[in-house]
Amino acid sequence: MSPDLPKSDVSSGLNFKETELTLGLPGEIGRGTSSLIQIPGSSSAKLTGTKRGFSQAAMDLNLGRSFSVEHDDSACEQSESENEDLSVAKPPSAKAQILGWPPVRAFRKNVITKSCHLVKVAMDGAPYLRKVDLEMYNSYQQLLSALEEMLISCSTIPTHPTRNYLDEKKLMDPASGVEYVPIYEDKDGDLMLVGDVPWKMFVESCKRLRLIKISEAIGPDPRTPQQSASCTS
Amino acid sequence: MPRMGYSFPEEVLEHVFSFIQSDEDRNAISEVCRSWHDIERWSRRRVFVGNCYAISPTMVIRRFPEVRSVKLKGKPHFADFNLVPEGWGGYVAPWISAMASAYPWLEEIRLKRMVITDESLELISKSFKNFKVLVLSSCEGFSTDGLAAIAANCRNLRELDLGESEVEDLSGHWLSRFPDNYTSMVSLNIACLGWEVSFSALERLVGRCPNLRTLRLNRAVPLDKLANLLCRAPQLVELGTGAYSSELRPDVFSNLSGAFSGCKELKSLSGFWDVVPGYLPAVYPICSKLKSLNLSYATIQSPELIKLVSQCQNLQRLWVLDYIEDAGLDALAASCKDLRELRVFPSDPFGQEPNVPLTEQGLVSVSEGCPKLQSVLYFCRQMSNAALMTIARNRPNMTRFRLCIIEPHTPDYLTLQPLDVGFGAIVEHCKDLRRLSLSGLLTDRVFEYIGTHAKKLEMLSVAFAGESDLGLHHILSGCDNLRKLEIRDCPFGDKALLANAAKLETMRSLWMSSCSVSFGACKLLGQKMPGLNVEVIDERGPPDLRPESCPIDKLYVYRTVSGPRFDMPGFVWTMAENPALRLS
């Protein structure tokens, strides 16, 4: 029996019956299976999914200008990566990358998007400074992990940073138990606490980083009541 | 009985055949008669195997016992875009082992998309006394240790070209392994190496090789060392710089400028990573002689690009980022009347919005202004049928046309129609078109045009296009000279494939991924066509654990005379003629 013909094939004047594809190798006469064989599932869901009128298709498509995005914080592009951890699992974003597309070779991608934003990192008590490339990281979490690794140069104990997003970010050197707070100097020369602004904004404005010991931090810290080191309850 | 024939002595025939280089002609010669076949096979010196699994090394060696130059290709083209899983294959080791004993006089090995180990490199370096040329294009599996063996042992090496290979960088000292009395380097391309090579070894090598014509440095070679290198090799014809950045200093600049001026033969430039625009004028003195310019790593803006390109009146090939903008392409069209090849790469391939004013207009300008333009690779974000038709009419001499509209399914931005008629115009007007890549919103109609008109087409790349099997059927039944077809994310299924099974034996290979080809159809194809290897590639697990109607992930079909291969990883299955032989 002939397969269901998609409407557009009939209407475009193609005589589908004549061009009906049969299974059989050329020149093979009399071979029993040369009549049409329906391969089950060949007119698969993938085909029907593409049968749309073009005006509908156009509305769904990127017309090269603005792009309609499904999630609702599209207005604030910078907060995307920072809020990754907070958000519930979203439906696949329209911005999701397709594997191997566009067809650009890997070595080209690295070269083009690679930029370098090196900033000095001063650690209280360390005799020399370090440098990190902020472009290597996509979030505060990644940066702080890297800074913590720098702190724990001798330790072999893997640690995770003792923080969550509602807390201020702080780091600990497990060997000494000393806690550090990361701060940075911004474009205006002001000392700021790391973590208050969206990641990308931070990267743009950060000039240098400093890790100060908690005991030296100026002022009370209302957000961390269980502070152990210097508080006398 | 009178003797038949006016046969020439063998030596004469051999001498005549030595003037015939092309494989096609030699293949024709070998079919004339038995004796011509024999003479030809003993005198064939170059062999090209477009798919390393199409034939076994033993068979090649048996037919052509006196080969001096071998070129092999391994993985399918889509491996460049990570569509072929790691470990699929393309191992050159069996070839190297076989040739090590059979071809002691082998001089040249050229590989593309193959996996080569340090052991193989060492075997090469020790087995072929007169080894001269090693070209590894987009290869992997080896380290600088393998290169050290080549450097240390290949006394007659002329060419070492690492192409865009992935090399494990264990040490930069491999370059020092070239002996002090080694002076025969003609072409050295190490641009793909990520880490430093020993610079003093490089300097000394360059200084003692008077025939050095091509030198492609890697990014790690700093700009302030470049002048020195150039002064040691003023005879260079092709140069790839390292990083083109340094603090702007007048002495460094004047040294560099002087060094460039001293290179009177320089015709090709590449490299230019991390460009500091202030140093670009150092190359101005040689711009007018340049034939080839690769600025595809240079993140410089349109005004600087225009200044540079406007001085290159003899330019034949330009590779550049889309930072050139439409305005830059206008300038190119006005200045470079000898341009043959243009490639424009995207600076921000994953961005959602256009980040530079580069549109279809740039390509239209170049197609108007450059009468010899025949090869195009163009990434952009908008296209119209009108533009494509203009390009087609302007450039009927086009032979390679690859257009990538970055967002899949993008229609004509002016009319919102599919781009069928635009690409249709390309294939209709450009009668010598050999290679085509499609993109944008496309229905089955475009394939009808292609099948009808693209009679010289040899390679076609299709992505996110078409509506039904009819599309695939048009291609397979219409394109008489098709050799390679690669398809991804298209609604093509079993019917067209099975109906055109015989066509697949006339082609080198077919790749289909994320389409609608069922496992059942693959089995059927494998059973019906013993001359093909039908490889099902599926990282989800054995396809026979799912219903036969289930679409498979990736399909790679290629003709072969050596049957199924035996080096497949666990996620590849060959559909064999005899189901009992199928490994699963």
Side-chain angles (χ1 to χ4, degrees):
Chain A
M1 291 289 114
S2 56
D4 279 341
L5 299 178
K7 281 200 179 137
S8 64
D9 284 316
V10 171
S11 62
S12 65
L14 286 170
N15 186 340
F16 203 70
K17 273 234 153 40
E18 266 194 10
T19 55
E20 209 161 50
L21 306 173
T22 62
L23 176 64
L25 301 174
E28 282 188 282
I29 313 160
R31 192 144 170 173
T33 51
S34 63
S35 55
L36 173 68
I37 290 181
Q38 174 127 17
I39 311 283
S42 58
S43 314
S44 66
K46 275 200 180 173
L47 291 177
T48 53
T50 59
K51 290 274 171 268
R52 299 181 289 182
F54 289 125
S55 53
Q56 173 66 34
M59 276 165 52
D60 293 345
L61 295 168
N62 175 17
L63 303 182
R65 302 282 173 249
S66 61
F67 197 92
S68 64
V69 174
E70 288 151 41
H71 51 90
D72 49 16
D73 52 352
S74 56
C76 184
E77 183 213 23
Q78 294 144 336
S79 62
E80 250 180 274
S81 52
E82 194 201 346
N83 289 332
E84 253 174 311
D85 297 282
L86 286 177
S87 62
V88 244
K90 294 178 189 158
S93 161
K95 289 186 179 181
Q97 271 180 38
I98 303 165
L99 174 66
W101 190 266
V104 175
R105 299 202 48 196
F107 61 82
R108 290 198 178 282
K109 289 184 230 168
N110 295 339
V111 166
I112 292 159
T113 55
K114 189 175 179 142
S115 52
C116 190
H117 185 24
L118 287 168
V119 296
K120 290 183 188 172
V121 184
M123 282 174 283
D124 283 0
Y128 50 83
L129 278 63
R130 302 291 302 271
K131 265 196 170 169
V132 290
D133 177 4
L134 293 179
E135 294 289 339
M136 298 259 307
Y137 312 108
N138 290 320
S139 68
Y140 283 114
Q141 195 160 15
Q142 289 178 11
L143 172 64
L144 293 171
S145 296
L147 290 177
E148 204 161 54
E149 273 176 34
M150 277 188 188
L151 272 182
I152 320 164
S153 41
C154 304
S155 171
T156 52
I157 307 164
T159 62
H160 8 270
T162 51
R163 61 184 179 275
N164 61 53
Y165 264 83
L166 299 177
D167 233 7
E168 69 184 327
K169 291 151 174 69
K170 47 185 190 201
L171 309 171
M172 180 174 71
D173 174 7
S176 61
V178 179
E179 288 183 319
Y180 294 83
V181 167
I183 61 171
Y184 69 101
E185 184 184 320
D186 70 1
K187 280 181 182 162
D188 302 323
D190 296 323
L191 291 178
M192 314 284 293
L193 185 66
V194 166
D196 285 338
V197 300
W199 170 254
K200 285 203 174 149
M201 206 183 278
F202 161 73
V203 171
E204 270 166 46
S205 57
C206 174
K207 288 283 153 231
R208 48 196 300 157
L209 280 162
R210 188 174 157 203
L211 300 176
I212 46 177
K213 289 189 192 163
I214 293 273
S215 54
E216 288 179 28
I218 296 164
D221 197 347
R223 282 176 285 175
T224 53
Q226 67 268 35
Q227 181 79 254
S228 57
S230 47
C231 281
T232 51
S233 225
Chain B
M1 289 277 274
R3 247 182 196 274
M4 274 303 281
Y6 329 63
S7 29
F8 288 121
E10 269 189 32
E11 295 80 11
V12 177
L13 280 172
E14 215 179 297
H15 182 68
V16 172
F17 292 174
S18 70
F19 293 100
I20 316 246
Q21 300 295 340
S22 104
D23 284 344
E24 266 185 68
D25 291 341
R26 280 194 160 258
N27 291 345
I29 288 175
S30 64
E31 286 173 11
V32 166
C33 64
R34 183 87 233 165
S35 75
W36 279 39
H37 183 275
D38 281 346
I39 297 167
E40 193 284 315
R41 65 181 264 266
W42 281 95
S43 65
R44 196 173 305 210
R45 298 283 174 262
R46 305 180 159 274
V47 170
F48 167 58
V49 181
N51 173 5
C52 63
Y53 292 120
I55 189 167
S56 73
T58 317
M59 290 161 108
V60 174
I61 290 166
R62 194 161 54 217
R63 168 110 185 247
F64 301 116
E66 297 274 336
V67 164
R68 300 272 188 274
S69 163
V70 169
K71 180 169 179 177
L72 302 173
K73 292 189 178 181
K75 300 184 208 175
H77 173 239
F78 272 176
D80 285 358
F81 315 122
N82 300 323
L83 289 179
V84 178
E86 190 82 26
W88 170 84
Y91 304 106
V92 79
W95 290 85
I96 305 295
S97 317
M99 294 191 301
S101 32
Y103 293 153
W105 298 111
L106 191 69
E107 295 177 6
E108 305 182 350
I109 294 177
R110 293 179 170 83
L111 306 177
K112 188 164 186 180
R113 286 190 208 99
M114 294 199 77
V115 180
I116 180 167
T117 59
D118 287 344
E119 287 72 29
S120 288
L121 285 171
E122 188 159 351
L123 191 56
I124 290 171
S125 76
K126 300 208 164 125
S127 311
F128 309 117
K129 299 297 170 217
N130 204 20
F131 196 66
K132 293 188 175 138
V133 172
L134 183 64
V135 176
L136 301 175
S137 176
S138 305
C139 294
E140 56 169 356
F142 63 104
S143 77
T144 43
D145 286 354
L147 298 178
I150 297 285
N153 300 318
C154 299
R155 299 296 157 124
N156 293 310
L157 194 70
R158 304 270 155 90
E159 188 173 337
L160 178 61
D161 181 343
L162 302 180
E164 291 90 26
S165 296
E166 259 186 58
V167 185
E168 199 189 344
D169 243 303
L170 298 175
S171 150
H173 289 293
W174 66 272
L175 205 63
S176 331
R177 302 296 304 279
F178 283 107
D180 289 335
N181 61 359
Y182 166 79
T183 58
S184 36
M185 190 67 86
V186 173
S187 171
L188 179 64
N189 177 0
I190 54 167
C192 66
L193 295 182
W195 297 99
E196 282 177 17
V197 291
S198 155
F199 188 75
S200 55
L202 179 62
E203 257 188 340
R204 279 181 281 118
L205 182 66
V206 168
R208 68 177 185 270
C209 293
N211 298 318
L212 191 68
R213 292 277 170 278
T214 299
L215 180 64
R216 306 265 188 212
L217 303 169
N218 61 337
R219 195 174 184 174
V221 176
L223 187 58
D224 49 17
K225 300 258 170 87
L226 184 59
N228 219 336
L229 278 176
L230 290 181
C231 289
R232 288 171 194 235
Q235 75 283 3
L236 278 180
V237 176
E238 301 183 322
L239 171 73
T241 72
Y244 205 76
S245 71
S246 180
E247 273 173 31
L248 280 173
R249 281 163 39 199
D251 55 326
V252 174
F253 181 89
S254 62
N255 282 346
L256 192 59
S257 183
F260 271 117
S261 307
C263 295
K264 309 279 184 209
E265 309 296 323
L266 213 43
K267 303 240 176 354
S268 164
L269 277 184
S270 63
F272 295 104
W273 285 280
D274 313 314
V275 176
V276 163
Y279 276 108
L280 279 176
V283 305
Y284 288 174
I286 49 143
C287 279
S288 59
K289 297 206 203 106
L290 284 181
K291 294 209 169 143
S292 170
L293 188 51
N294 181 353
L295 295 169
S296 61
Y297 304 114
T299 50
I300 41 180
Q301 304 303 313
S302 186
E304 280 105 22
L305 284 165
I306 291 176
K307 262 186 248 155
L308 187 55
V309 151
S310 314
Q311 300 184 58
C312 302
Q313 300 88 5
N314 288 308
L315 205 60
Q316 294 184 2
R317 177 195 302 161
L318 177 66
W319 292 19
V320 73
L321 287 170
D322 56 9
Y323 289 135
I324 195 167
E325 302 180 10
D326 287 341
L329 292 175
D330 288 341
L332 181 71
S335 315
C336 305
K337 295 305 186 183
D338 207 25
L339 196 71
R340 321 273 164 110
E341 176 179 329
L342 174 67
R343 296 196 191 189
V344 178
F345 295 97
S347 53
D348 185 18
F350 305 115
Q352 297 299 311
E353 303 288 319
N355 61 325
V356 283
L358 179 112
T359 68
E360 82 284 4
Q361 193 45 52
L363 186 56
V364 171
S365 293
V366 179
S367 77
E368 269 160 9
C370 303
K372 298 206 190 140
L373 185 71
Q374 49 178 224
S375 172
V376 167
L377 170 63
Y378 199 77
F379 284 81
C380 61
R381 288 191 155 87
Q382 69 183 43
M383 188 50 61
S384 66
N385 284 309
L388 284 170
M389 290 184 334
T390 305
I391 293 165
R393 276 191 234 104
N394 286 339
R395 296 273 62 80
N397 53 326
M398 190 78 73
T399 56
R400 292 181 202 79
F401 189 74
R402 293 192 278 166
L403 179 66
C404 179
I405 305 164
I406 289 178
E407 187 62 33
H409 307 122
T410 304
D412 177 328
Y413 77 100
L414 295 169
T415 64
L416 301 185
Q417 293 300 300
L419 291 168
D420 299 337
V421 294
F423 279 105
I426 295 281
V427 293
E428 196 183 330
H429 290 270
C430 307
K431 302 203 190 301
D432 289 323
L433 196 69
R434 294 199 306 270
R435 184 165 182 186
L436 178 64
S437 297
L438 306 173
S439 58
L441 182 66
L442 297 165
T443 72
D444 285 345
R445 178 128 284 163
V446 72
F447 300 111
E448 198 182 335
Y449 295 140
I450 293 173
T452 307
H453 294 287
K455 294 306 183 186
K456 298 265 181 72
L457 194 66
E458 295 178 5
M459 182 168 178
L460 179 64
S461 307
V462 186
F464 305 102
E467 302 160 291
S468 76
D469 272 49
L470 211 47
L472 180 57
H473 176 67
H474 283 309
I475 303 170
L476 291 176
S477 57
C479 296
D480 299 333
N481 278 297
L482 196 63
R483 292 191 296 113
K484 287 181 282 185
L485 178 58
E486 47 186 25
I487 301 172
R488 62 162 298 175
D489 294 276
C490 295
F492 299 150
D494 304 337
K495 274 193 254 174
L497 198 58
L498 293 169
N500 292 282
K503 170 73 174 175
L504 299 178
E505 259 184 355
T506 70
M507 293 164 54
R508 181 185 298 173
S509 66
L510 165 69
W511 169 277
M512 290 178 74
S513 57
S514 307
C515 297
S516 310
V517 180
S518 73
F519 181 53
C522 294
K523 284 201 292 187
L524 209 50
L525 191 60
Q527 283 160 22
K528 297 287 182 201
M529 305 295 297
L532 298 177
N533 274 355
V534 178
E535 290 190 12
V536 170
I537 301 165
D538 210 321
E539 284 174 292
R540 295 172 297 177
D544 51 9
L545 298 182
R546 289 182 290 278
E548 279 206 358
S549 57
C550 229
I552 53 144
D553 187 22
K554 296 167 184 175
L555 173 68
Y556 186 48
V557 181
Y558 53 91
R559 66 180 173 190
T560 179
V561 294
S562 60
R565 56 184 177 113
F566 298 106
D567 60 357
M568 296 180 296
F571 52 84
V572 179
W573 296 267
T574 299
M575 307 292 105
E577 200 182 336
N578 181 348
L581 290 177
R582 203 160 30 87
L583 310 162
S584 69

